[in-house]
Amino acid sequence: MAFNDAMSYGDYLHLEDILAHQHPLTDAHDEMLFVIQHQTSELWMKLAIHELVAAREALRSGDTAQMFKMLARVSRIFEQLNSAWDVLRTMTPADYTRFREALGPSSGLQSYQYRTIEYILGNRNPNMLKPHEHLPEVRKALSDELARPSFYDEVVRLLFRTVDGHEDHVPAPRLDAPHEAVPEIRERWKTVYDNTEEYWTLYELGEKLVDLEDYFRRWRFNHVTTVERVIGFKRGTGGTSGVQYLRQMLSVELFPELWHLRGEL
């Protein structure tokens, strides 16, 4: 039972450091909930980035088994992120009002890890670099991510290479703009879904991506409903229109071809 000279649970996890970084700015009871909910969400996003970066490398190297495992894990991570909204929704508008002014202009809009996840998956809006101008290292990391093909770009290369037998007609990646539906990509996915036994690996990959985006969309929807429940239609702390802005984000599609072809099957 003595851990003077051995690795302990707290030592391994650096619990003293982690648990020392919750600093509410007011005496409002619910501010601790607000802080911990967002801190834990950032930890889950750190893991999501870790998995997505590795999944992209696994895809490039042809290790599809590892890639599938990592994508499944990212979906489960977003399931955890979705559950976090259930806890935050126990906070009432009156509770939030007690400490909202202390937040100043800080906002989830400034989460560079969330921005990284969007950029990796293909929702690439260079204008969203602006909230990170005050952090040069963060801005550079996001800019570097924009210079790389997204995960979905790599998927599309595999799709064309497998269905066509070559990559001569792969659409050029849109490194500096959100991915929009491309008819040629939908046609290849249609071929896969019409011939699932022949293209089983691609078919399984397509469904993994739909599963991931399903959880991602639920996360966005839960964000909207939580914000509307707590602050109504007030402006967001970061200067956005609040609920209206978040509702616009619900229309963003990460892998549009995989959703659009479903009506054709």
Side-chain angles (χ1 to χ4, degrees), residues 57 72 75 94 98 100 104 120 122 149 155 179 192 206-207 220 225 249 253 260 263:
E57 288 305 312
S75 293
R98 289 195 59 196
R100 186 172 189 247
I120 291 174
V155 169
H179 177 75
V192 168
E207 288 303 290
R220 280 178 164 161
T225 55
M249 296 300 100
E253 295 176 312
H260 297 180

Side-chain angles (χ1 to χ4, degrees), residues 31-44:
E31 190 178 357
M32 181 64 81
L33 161 64
F34 192 81
V35 169
I36 290 177
Q37 192 270 342
H38 286 84
Q39 286 183 341
T40 53
S41 292
E42 290 292 334
L43 285 172
W44 281 121

Side-chain angles (χ1 to χ4, degrees), residues 123-192:
N123 185 25
R124 300 177 157 211
N125 183 350
N127 289 330
M128 297 312 297
L129 290 171
K130 293 177 181 177
H132 313 290
E133 295 286 355
H134 64 298
L135 297 171
E137 291 184 6
V138 168
R139 192 191 188 287
K140 182 181 184 307
L142 288 170
S143 296
D144 289 346
E145 180 54 47
L146 284 179
R148 304 183 188 100
S150 71
F151 180 81
Y152 191 52
D153 290 331
E154 296 291 349
V155 169
V156 169
R157 284 184 58 200
L158 175 64
L159 175 67
F160 276 71
R161 185 167 66 245
T162 305
V163 174
D164 292 5
H166 54 78
E167 299 180 26
D168 296 349
H169 304 298
V170 178
R174 300 189 65 183
L175 301 180
D176 59 351
H179 177 75
E180 295 181 356
V182 177
E184 291 80 8
I185 297 176
R186 188 179 70 251
E187 288 171 10
R188 269 67 176 187
W189 279 123
K190 178 77 163 45
T191 298
V192 168

Side-chain angles (χ1 to χ4, degrees), residues 3 20 36 45 49 77 79 88 91-92 114 127 143 145 148 157 160 171 186 200 209 216 221 224 232-233 235 259 263:
F3 291 90
I36 290 177
M45 282 190 268
I49 292 167
I77 289 169
E79 186 175 16
L88 192 63
M91 183 175 63
T92 69
Y114 173 74
N127 289 330
S143 296
E145 180 54 47
R148 304 183 188 100
R157 284 184 58 200
F160 276 71
R186 188 179 70 251
W200 183 263
L209 294 179
F216 191 74
F221 179 78
V224 172
F233 290 88
R235 290 191 66 80
W259 295 91

Side-chain angles (χ1 to χ4, degrees), residues 102-118:
L103 302 178
S106 65
S107 166
L109 183 72
Q110 299 149 12
S111 170
Y112 58 83
Q113 291 201 122
Y114 173 74
R115 195 72 53 216
T116 301
I117 291 171
E118 282 200 317

Side-chain angles (χ1 to χ4, degrees), residues 83-104:
S83 296
W85 293 120
D86 293 336
V87 182
L88 192 63
R89 279 195 286 266
T90 64
M91 183 175 63
T92 69
D95 297 329
Y96 184 51
T97 300
R98 289 195 59 196
F99 65 88
R100 186 172 189 247
E101 288 190 7
L103 302 178

